[in-house]
Amino acid sequence: MLSGAAQGHGVVIADTRRAAEGLANGTLTTPFLGEVDNDASYFLLCPPQRARTPVMYALAAALHALIANQKV
């Protein structure tokens, strides 16, 4: 999944430990600030050129809304 996102085939929600290499070398980016504090944090990752697009903002907003409505 991470390699597909890095190649521009889509986005992935992933643990930053698994994405550390791609984040460090710039093939992946976290297009939005914030993380879920639940002992298993995941981040929305995508190629840097797609990070600040309307579709990514809409996806992040939808995910944030789902998390906000979640009963933990």
Side-chain angles (χ1 to χ4, degrees), residues 32-36 42-43 64:
F32 309 102
L33 298 177
E35 63 182 78
V36 177
Y42 291 87
F43 297 82
H64 280 276

Side-chain angles (χ1 to χ4, degrees), residues 7-51:
Q7 293 170 13
H9 298 293
V11 299
V12 65
I13 297 174
D15 183 300
T16 55
R17 293 172 293 190
R18 296 198 63 210
E21 183 179 340
L23 291 168
N25 68 25
T27 58
L28 293 171
T29 187
T30 53
F32 309 102
L33 298 177
E35 63 182 78
V36 177
D37 186 18
N38 67 354
D39 295 330
S41 295
Y42 291 87
F43 297 82
L44 185 62
L45 304 172
C46 68
Q49 65 271 21
R50 289 193 177 175

